[in-house]
Amino acid sequence: MQQHHYLGALPKISETLWYVAVFDDQWIAILSFSAPALKCSARDRWIGWDFRHQYDRLKLLTNNSRFLILPDWHFPNLASRILSLCQKRLPSDWQAIFGHPIVLLETFVDPQRFQGTIYKAANWIYVGNTKGFHRTRQGYSATAQSSKMVFVKPLIFNAQTLLSRPILESPYHTGGLKIMLSAHQMQSLPDFFADIPDPRRAQGRRHRLSTVLAIAAGAILCGMRGYLAISDWANNLGPKARQRFGCRYQNKHYIVPSLSIIRDVLIRVEPEHLDRALQKWNKVYGQNDESLAIDGKTMCNAIDDQGHQAHIMSVIGHQTGACHTQKK
């Protein structure tokens, strides 16, 4: 791949499968299928999914990130034949190796080099062009470069309908509720915690309470569970994201709260204040639910001064799975 593909070899990108096409014990082609693009406006418009659901459902997609016909094997119909064979076995291989299904393939074609002929011949759907921006360590490039043609291939007949549903059923449900935060949501999230009293002493405070709570809430909205996962998520934030959360600026760097600070704040802050702030955020950004479920739970280890266990009543949205409110 490094020797013959114009883009060179590609490292493993999250869940990745490589395929080698063989004829008479000779390699004739190499393909790789990797994690899909985090954001692609042409693809996202074609699917029609809500921004709130997108991040949680990207695992149901995969990207044909490389396709190389080796030298001396450029024969008519060979490429479309190889692609067709891969498409037939890819769903079962993906399920066996990664433990979940995939329903849609995507790929990007550089129009300055190719016209996507093999994908058109294999009945892939052209859905538009990218805007030309590419991923960097700081987020995305400041200027657009050459845009790419975007092709998709449904692996099941109702892929669009399934991916855009409010609720996914098994086996397509990929985990708990999580979303992808937009830049505006990151910037506004600390404002919802600004009025919460800080339980910490004024001496030695290195991070604003609103910033710590906003980062913790953002991590949980993006699917993190537990103090360590929240801390890892915070450490992986780029400079722009840290700035939006209002992180402390020191020595030309934005510093995120440490694991111990996040844990200390979440343990000591009043739950009622935090709950009200999250309700306000959900009222502004949460998706509407057509129906609600009310249920109760006994907290096994939460015992008051009289020895009584705490009981929590929660209101959950059927469509979003979001908790709208809960009362002790």
Side-chain angles (χ1 to χ4, degrees), residues 137-139 181-183 185-190 207-208 210-212 214-215 230-258 262:
R137 289 187 176 182
Q138 288 73 36
L181 290 175
S182 67
Q185 288 173 333
M186 288 183 187
Q187 198 163 10
S188 64
L189 195 53
H207 301 273
R208 289 181 294 179
S210 58
T211 295
V212 180
I215 288 177
I230 294 172
S231 179
D232 289 342
W233 186 86
N235 289 325
N236 287 323
L237 290 173
K240 289 185 178 179
R242 296 183 181 201
Q243 182 183 18
R244 293 174 187 133
F245 277 118
C247 291
R248 187 167 58 91
Y249 192 71
Q250 180 180 342
N251 298 330
K252 299 182 179 181
H253 294 286
Y254 290 98
I255 310 299
V256 296
S258 66
I262 293 173

Side-chain angles (χ1 to χ4, degrees), residues 29-61:
I30 311 172
L31 301 88
S32 67
F33 293 86
S34 309
L38 194 62
K39 290 186 280 187
C40 176
S41 57
R43 176 204 66 192
D44 298 336
R45 283 195 304 269
W46 183 85
I47 293 175
W49 54 14
D50 188 272
F51 183 82
R52 184 182 183 93
H53 298 140
Q54 177 180 336
Y55 184 61
D56 191 35
R57 300 178 183 182
L58 282 172
K59 280 184 172 291
L60 299 177
L61 282 64

Side-chain angles (χ1 to χ4, degrees), residues 51-115:
F51 183 82
R52 184 182 183 93
H53 298 140
Q54 177 180 336
Y55 184 61
D56 191 35
R57 300 178 183 182
L58 282 172
K59 280 184 172 291
L60 299 177
L61 282 64
T62 186
N63 184 291
N64 180 202
S65 48
R66 289 289 189 273
F67 190 175
L68 171 67
I69 302 293
L70 293 170
D72 302 327
W73 290 100
H74 290 268
F75 296 104
N77 303 319
L78 177 63
S80 57
R81 173 61 175 164
I82 293 172
L83 194 59
S84 175
L85 291 173
C86 278
Q87 290 171 196
K88 290 180 180 179
R89 64 172 295 172
L90 188 60
S92 58
D93 289 343
W94 207 274
Q95 180 72 55
I97 295 174
F98 300 118
H100 65 83
I102 51 173
V103 301
L104 186 69
L105 305 180
E106 69 176 20
T107 196
F108 303 108
V109 175
D110 187 346
Q112 297 181 1
R113 292 176 174 268
F114 309 102
Q115 295 301 316

